[in-house]
Amino acid sequence: MKVTINDIAKAAGVAKSTVSKVLNDAPSISLATKRRVRQVMSDMNYTPSSIATQLARKSSFNIGLLVDMSRRDDFLNQFFYNIIGGVESVIGPQGYELTLCNMNNHDHELLMNRFVLNKRVDGFILDTSLLTPQLAESFNQVQFPFLAIGELPGYSEMSWVDIDNHKGAELLTEHLIFQGYRRIAFLGGESGEPIWSNRISGYKKALLNHSMSVVDSYMQPGYSNVETGCKLMQDLLELPPRPMPLYA
Amino acid sequence: MKVTINDIAKAAGVAKSTVSKVLNDAPSISLATKRRVRQVMSDMNYTPSSIATQLARKSSFNIGLLVDMSRRDDFLNQFFYNIIGGVESVIGPQGYELTLCNMNNHDHELLMNRFVLNKRVDGFILDTSLLTPQLAESFNQVQFPFLAIGELPGYSEMSWVDIDNHKGAELLTEHLIFQGYRRIAFLGGESGEPIWSNRISGYKKALLNHSMSVVDSYMQPGYSNVETGCKLMQDLLELPPRPMPLYA
DNA sequence: TTGAAAGCGCTACCAA
DNA sequence: TTGGTAGCGCTTTCAA
């Protein structure tokens, strides 16, 4: 049978509350006792049960990463990979683990029961594409912490992180301008979404800053995958004055 | 405050053990009681705490998927994506969740403490590339269930699943033969690993079955990524009698 | 500085 | 068919 905190207490001749304090390195315990108890722990190969700790502390020490496993494109990309690795690298050292939460069917109630209400995870990280104002509202109602990747237009009662899409697009556009390009197009990003409007505004800003005109047909939104990119580019190349370097 | 099993018991006028039985749909409870208790549960918006259940049942209801997050290539591919989705689709409905376990540094002891000994997960699923006989031995010593994807040569005290690499390679080779190809090469798979030997044996079998000779220089092992594939193919194309269709 | 005891919210055994 | 009760293995007051 697994050795528990009671076994350690007995073996070390202290109360289990003392063992618990040693476990958490409480300042009230003398160094001598700590050393002795720790010795016993390692002698007996003791590892505290995380589940018992979770119950006592009322926290699962689990962060949920919400994903829609049926959407392959959102899943199989560098970006998502970096998210997982990044999240793990900060929560791991803090004693938290990463639970992958499937939101396949977009059933909010199921989601709330399966992970939130039953305390399976302590908080969610999710891409804005999975978040609706209603869902955010559900989280807020039970005071459940969540963090969105990307902003949710029209809903401000939440935290989100993102790269500076406006600035990024501006820098990128400026870079091309400095290279001497004059007819610069912008493809991708879904219209209506902040990612599109922010990038487009940065793009426009750079153009205007350099006294260049904004050509409507050079700006085409579209879902970010290979097929759409390919199609948009073909459309672009068929425009009468097609985008090209100044000295082409 | 969160409503617990005690609140339900009180409100429904039954013992909490009865509520627990209703929760688990025990056959010993009368339909009438079940209905009544369930009504109270939904009236009070009750969701059982998964952590308490875990402690009482001594199971975390968590399956760990062991990955090395520093190995991008193993992570960002269709295969891995399918594993995650596949695993989730079977464990989810059974009440289990998927925990992504990072084995970045390949520290066995850390791994054992962080997930196994403290009961953070009930079992592991891992690719053979992460498994060593020593690690498998550690798992077995504490009777910890694990399932490998791919076989571990030289170690049999474990369960593993894999596709039939031998048969697959045989069918593939045969297919080419039927198309009329006569100089067929085989690239990829790491030498020494079952995936390579099994596929190669299927490849050879097909060739021999059709009275074709096996050319050593046509068989090149190599790590499965784009760069290696590219290089191997270039090498291949420079062989004196290079692989080609019969009627080229 | 240490210990006793009361939880945390369930399950499971044994009676009733 | 239901209830009482003793855990599961920790944490956390509150005393000593």
Side-chain angles (χ1 to χ4, degrees):
Chain A
M1 208 38 214
K2 173 106 169 60
V3 21
T4 75
I5 198 173
N6 286 302
D7 304 321
I8 300 299
K10 217 160 294 171
V14 297
K16 70 174 175 180
S17 53
T18 303
V19 178
S20 169
K21 283 165 192 157
V22 172
L23 235 28
N24 298 289
D25 203 19
S28 71
I29 301 295
S30 74
L31 200 58
T33 308
K34 278 185 184 170
R35 259 204 281 269
R36 189 156 44 86
V37 173
R38 286 193 180 121
Q39 184 59 53
V40 175
M41 286 178 176
S42 82
D43 285 352
M44 300 184 66
N45 254 198
Y46 171 66
T47 313
S49 152
S50 73
I51 299 178
T53 309
Q54 289 173 40
L55 182 58
R57 287 220 240 260
K58 298 177 159 210
S59 160
S60 70
F61 294 94
N62 255 133
I63 298 298
L65 183 61
L66 209 50
V67 293
D68 178 348
M69 297 191 183
S70 68
R71 288 170 56 180
R72 185 158 304 201
D73 283 349
D74 295 352
F75 211 73
L76 258 187
N77 62 54
Q78 196 62 36
F79 185 59
F80 184 74
Y81 170 85
N82 284 334
I83 303 272
I84 291 190
V87 168
E88 207 290 318
S89 75
V90 358
I91 70 174
Q94 314 242 37
Y96 284 76
E97 302 305 339
L98 214 195
T99 297
L100 232 41
C101 305
N102 190 9
M103 194 171 132
N104 210 320
N105 39 31
H106 291 246
D107 179 337
H108 287 188
E109 200 173 318
L110 177 64
L111 185 74
M112 292 302 284
N113 283 323
R114 183 168 168 193
F115 300 106
V116 179
L117 272 15
N118 68 0
K119 308 255 187 251
R120 198 85 209 213
V121 301
D122 290 341
F124 270 138
I125 293 177
L126 75 171
D127 193 84
T128 326
S129 61
L130 294 176
L131 193 60
T132 57
Q134 300 89 288
L135 186 56
E137 199 47 44
S138 298
F139 293 152
N140 281 334
Q141 244 158 42
V142 294
Q143 307 220 61
F144 188 77
F146 67 103
L147 177 69
I149 298 166
E151 100 190 78
L152 184 62
Y155 192 86
S156 60
E157 300 302 306
M158 51 171 265
S159 305
W160 56 274
V161 295
D162 207 347
I163 54 173
D164 188 338
N165 283 297
H166 175 90
K167 192 67 184 173
E170 182 184 347
L171 289 175
L172 188 53
T173 309
E174 216 154 43
H175 173 75
L176 290 174
I177 293 173
F178 290 154
Q179 303 297 308
Y181 294 90
R182 285 296 172 273
R183 290 210 290 281
I184 300 170
F186 188 104
L187 304 183
E190 291 174 90
S191 73
E193 306 228 315
I195 198 173
W196 163 254
S197 54
N198 288 334
R199 289 181 181 178
I200 263 299
S201 77
Y203 159 81
K204 285 183 183 168
K205 182 175 176 204
L207 293 183
L208 297 176
N209 275 168
H210 294 270
S211 330
M212 295 169 55
S213 56
V214 170
V215 180
D216 280 349
S217 55
Y218 283 4
M219 301 180 295
Q220 298 296 339
Y223 185 62
S224 299
N225 62 7
V226 175
E227 294 71 43
T228 309
C230 190
K231 184 187 171 309
L232 290 179
M233 180 52 97
Q234 278 166 344
D235 291 353
L236 198 65
L237 293 177
E238 286 177 359
L239 288 180
R242 68 194 217 180
M244 56 171 71
L246 185 54
Y247 9 77
Chain B
M1 206 39 213
K2 172 108 170 60
V3 22
T4 75
I5 198 174
N6 286 303
D7 304 321
I8 301 298
K10 217 161 295 171
V14 296
K16 71 172 174 180
S17 52
T18 302
V19 178
S20 170
K21 284 166 194 156
V22 173
L23 234 28
N24 298 289
D25 203 18
S28 71
I29 302 296
S30 72
L31 200 58
T33 308
K34 280 185 184 170
R35 260 203 279 269
R36 188 156 44 87
V37 173
R38 286 194 180 121
Q39 183 58 51
V40 174
M41 287 178 175
S42 82
D43 286 351
M44 301 184 67
N45 254 194
Y46 170 67
T47 314
S49 153
S50 74
I51 300 179
T53 308
Q54 288 172 42
L55 182 58
R57 286 221 241 257
K58 297 176 158 215
S59 160
S60 70
F61 294 94
N62 254 134
I63 298 298
L65 183 60
L66 209 50
V67 293
D68 178 348
M69 297 191 184
S70 67
R71 289 171 56 179
R72 186 160 305 200
D73 284 349
D74 294 351
F75 213 71
L76 257 187
N77 63 54
Q78 196 62 36
F79 185 59
F80 184 73
Y81 170 85
N82 284 333
I83 303 273
I84 291 190
V87 167
E88 207 290 318
S89 76
V90 357
I91 70 174
Q94 315 242 35
Y96 284 77
E97 303 305 339
L98 215 193
T99 297
L100 233 40
C101 306
N102 190 9
M103 193 170 133
N104 210 319
N105 39 33
H106 289 248
D107 179 338
H108 287 188
E109 200 171 318
L110 177 64
L111 184 75
M112 292 301 285
N113 284 324
R114 182 168 169 194
F115 299 106
V116 179
L117 271 16
N118 67 1
K119 310 255 186 245
R120 198 83 209 214
V121 300
D122 291 341
F124 271 139
I125 292 176
L126 75 171
D127 192 84
T128 326
S129 61
L130 295 176
L131 193 61
T132 57
Q134 299 90 287
L135 185 56
E137 198 48 45
S138 297
F139 293 152
N140 281 334
Q141 243 157 43
V142 294
Q143 307 219 61
F144 188 75
F146 67 104
L147 178 69
I149 298 167
E151 100 191 79
L152 184 61
Y155 193 86
S156 60
E157 299 302 307
M158 51 173 264
S159 305
W160 55 274
V161 295
D162 206 348
I163 53 173
D164 189 339
N165 284 296
H166 174 90
K167 192 67 184 174
E170 183 185 346
L171 289 174
L172 188 52
T173 309
E174 216 153 43
H175 173 75
L176 290 174
I177 294 173
F178 290 154
Q179 304 295 310
Y181 295 90
R182 286 297 172 271
R183 289 210 291 281
I184 300 168
F186 187 105
L187 305 182
E190 291 174 270
S191 73
E193 305 228 314
I195 198 173
W196 163 254
S197 54
N198 288 335
R199 290 181 182 178
I200 261 301
S201 77
Y203 159 80
K204 285 182 182 169
K205 183 176 174 203
L207 293 182
L208 297 176
N209 275 169
H210 294 271
S211 329
M212 295 168 56
S213 54
V214 170
V215 180
D216 281 348
S217 55
Y218 282 5
M219 300 180 295
Q220 299 296 340
Y223 185 61
S224 298
N225 62 7
V226 175
E227 293 71 42
T228 310
C230 190
K231 187 192 167 306
L232 290 180
M233 181 52 98
Q234 278 166 344
D235 291 353
L236 198 65
L237 292 177
E238 284 175 359
L239 288 179
R242 69 195 217 179
M244 57 171 69
L246 186 54
Y247 9 78

